[in-house]
Amino acid sequence: MDLKHRKKLAAMHRIQEAALDLFEEQGFDAVAIEAVAAAAEVSPRTVYRYFGTKEMLVIWDEADEFPVSPLAAEFAVADPIGMLRGTFRAAFAAMDEAQLRLIRRRVALIYRTPAIEAAYLLHSYEKSRAIAAAVGPASGDAFGTEVFVHAFVGAVVGAMRHWCHSGFATPPFTFVDQALTLLEHGFGKRAAP
Amino acid sequence: MDLKHRKKLAAMHRIQEAALDLFEEQGFDAVAIEAVAAAAEVSPRTVYRYFGTKEMLVIWDEADEFPVSPLAAEFAVADPIGMLRGTFRAAFAAMDEAQLRLIRRRVALIYRTPAIEAAYLLHSYEKSRAIAAAVGPASGDAFGTEVFVHAFVGAVVGAMRHWCHSGFATPPFTFVDQALTLLEHGFGKRAAP
DNA sequence: CTGCCTTGTGGCAGTGACTGCCTATACTTG
DNA sequence: CAAGTATAGGCAGTCACTGCCACAAGGCAG
């Protein structure tokens, strides 16, 4: 990787770190981009060039940069839930404590701040639709694929939200796993307790 | 209802109508609130007082003003999907052509404009969570309720989006109905075609 | 009908997110 | 090491959105 690219990534991490510190301390709305830029020792213009919007300072995740594994396609048609479960399990298992801590900080800010949550929801749907567009045509059911992808994003967002509001007590995969199981079996009639 | 309230509602309809006209003609981003206010013959300050944000000019729906039917609670535990299907069927059936036309205009703008879509997603989730909070405790499964509500919103948003991109050819309930059926039976393994 | 009172409306000034444009600087390549 | 090229910084401008205050319009006694 280029020296330029490495410097840019390092700067993005420094800027995001500074932003999270300030947002946690003073609240998202009370912090101006100028303050973030000053704390990270870059110009405000650079913050916008790198992140585009203020919300992206929280939403941005380096892992999102990598393209979806082409392997996904072959699993997608027959057993989409199983494929997604495996992907999430692997992703969470590969994280060290530092990465997990970063995710917790970001998730807490996302669900505490409506403006960030809105941007995050759109971001999630757009990413998922991109995956669906790459994988979907093989299924031959555009409508079903679209509804599935949207329901899936909704379920995962709900799971992450619950993880956040439960104080991050249990590992995140627990919640995602349970949410996927619910999605797998459907929400038909349930016996009254 | 008060004269003041009737005047306010009339003004809101006039403002929304003017806004939709301008947004369709010039694009959401190219239209300033000032232009909407001028077209509707009110002050910009009043537009903000009524709608809060620019996106709400498109998202706002008079039907949202009414509180959720208390009847919902008794159906919710045993057969949530059936209850929701019935609610949607009744809601769409009660609409005349003018209301349907208004919804089509709003939906088209929502899915054509990322900023509006983001606000709309958050709005939908917040409304649904409010319903879940009113209905959920009876179910005894907070996590399941939360995941269900999120997946449900996702599925409906996906259905409406598909309705929009299919050119509004078929009645909207068709899509919602199919999406609910998918959600009901789950997204488990499907036979490859 | 009329004058008071409450509530809602309009205008003003200010903050801050975001963008286009130009210059300066740091990396890259021959 | 010099020429070329991508990229950071600075500047000025637009526009969404907000608090504040003066004013006008419904609502309500008398």
Side-chain angles (χ1 to χ4, degrees):
Chain A
M1 192 186 277
D2 235 351
L3 169 62
K4 281 194 173 179
H5 288 174
R6 267 182 287 132
K7 284 189 77 165
K8 172 173 174 176
L9 264 183
M12 287 184 80
H13 282 127
R14 202 173 63 243
I15 296 168
Q16 187 178 53
E17 192 74 20
L20 293 180
D21 285 344
L22 290 169
F23 293 162
E24 285 169 353
E25 190 184 321
Q26 306 171 27
F28 183 75
D29 294 329
V31 177
I33 293 279
E34 203 177 332
V36 175
E41 294 179 307
V42 290
S43 76
R45 197 67 187 78
T46 298
V47 175
Y48 283 114
R49 245 194 274 275
Y50 284 177
F51 291 95
T53 67
K54 191 180 177 185
E55 287 78 25
M56 271 297 163
L57 284 167
V58 180
I59 293 169
W60 179 73
D61 188 334
E62 198 186 342
D64 286 357
E65 307 275 301
F66 300 107
V68 188
S69 163
L71 280 175
E74 62 183 87
F75 293 97
V77 176
D79 182 16
I81 297 270
M83 184 273 284
L84 290 164
R85 181 177 279 124
T87 305
F88 270 85
R89 177 183 285 125
F92 281 123
M95 285 181 196
D96 58 28
E97 184 50 39
Q99 288 174 299
L100 222 59
R101 202 179 103 77
L102 180 60
I103 287 197
R104 280 196 295 266
R105 296 180 73 189
R106 291 172 45 229
V107 167
L109 277 166
I110 287 171
Y111 291 119
R112 185 179 303 152
T113 317
I116 312 181
E117 190 180 356
Y120 177 68
L121 288 169
L122 182 64
H123 180 75
S124 303
Y125 278 114
E126 280 179 343
K127 270 198 84 69
S128 305
R129 283 199 287 260
I131 296 172
V135 163
S139 77
D141 176 13
F143 179 75
T145 305
E146 188 147 9
V147 170
F148 169 66
V149 169
H150 279 79
F152 163 71
V153 171
V156 171
V157 166
M160 297 300 272
R161 193 186 164 85
H162 202 86
W163 179 50
C164 173
H165 285 110
S166 73
F168 304 114
T170 34
F173 181 68
T174 315
F175 291 103
V176 174
D177 184 47
Q178 286 176 31
L180 285 172
T181 302
L182 288 169
L183 208 58
E184 190 170 17
H185 297 323
F187 298 94
K189 298 188 188 187
R190 285 178 281 182
Chain B
M1 193 186 276
D2 236 350
L3 170 62
K4 281 195 173 181
H5 288 175
R6 266 182 288 130
K7 283 191 78 166
K8 174 173 172 174
L9 264 184
M12 287 183 80
H13 282 126
R14 201 174 62 243
I15 295 168
Q16 188 178 53
E17 193 73 23
L20 294 180
D21 285 344
L22 289 170
F23 293 162
E24 285 169 352
E25 190 185 320
Q26 306 171 27
F28 182 75
D29 294 330
V31 177
I33 293 279
E34 203 177 330
V36 175
E41 293 179 307
V42 290
S43 76
R45 196 70 189 77
T46 298
V47 175
Y48 284 114
R49 246 193 276 274
Y50 284 176
F51 292 94
T53 67
K54 191 180 176 186
E55 288 78 26
M56 272 295 161
L57 284 166
V58 180
I59 293 170
W60 179 74
D61 188 334
E62 199 185 344
D64 286 357
E65 306 275 299
F66 301 107
V68 187
S69 164
L71 280 175
E74 62 183 87
F75 294 96
V77 176
D79 183 15
I81 298 271
M83 185 273 284
L84 290 165
R85 180 177 281 124
T87 305
F88 271 85
R89 176 182 286 124
F92 281 121
M95 285 182 197
D96 57 28
E97 184 51 40
Q99 289 174 299
L100 222 58
R101 201 179 103 77
L102 180 61
I103 287 197
R104 281 196 293 266
R105 297 180 73 188
R106 290 172 46 229
V107 166
L109 276 167
I110 288 170
Y111 291 118
R112 185 178 304 152
T113 317
I116 312 181
E117 190 179 357
Y120 177 68
L121 288 169
L122 182 65
H123 179 74
S124 304
Y125 277 115
E126 281 179 344
K127 270 199 85 70
S128 306
R129 283 199 286 258
I131 297 172
V135 163
S139 77
D141 177 12
F143 179 75
T145 305
E146 187 147 10
V147 170
F148 169 64
V149 169
H150 279 78
F152 162 71
V153 171
V156 172
V157 165
M160 297 301 273
R161 191 185 164 84
H162 202 86
W163 179 49
C164 172
H165 284 110
S166 74
F168 304 114
T170 32
F173 181 68
T174 315
F175 291 104
V176 174
D177 184 47
Q178 285 176 32
L180 284 172
T181 302
L182 287 170
L183 209 57
E184 190 170 18
H185 297 323
F187 298 94
K189 298 189 188 188
R190 286 178 280 182

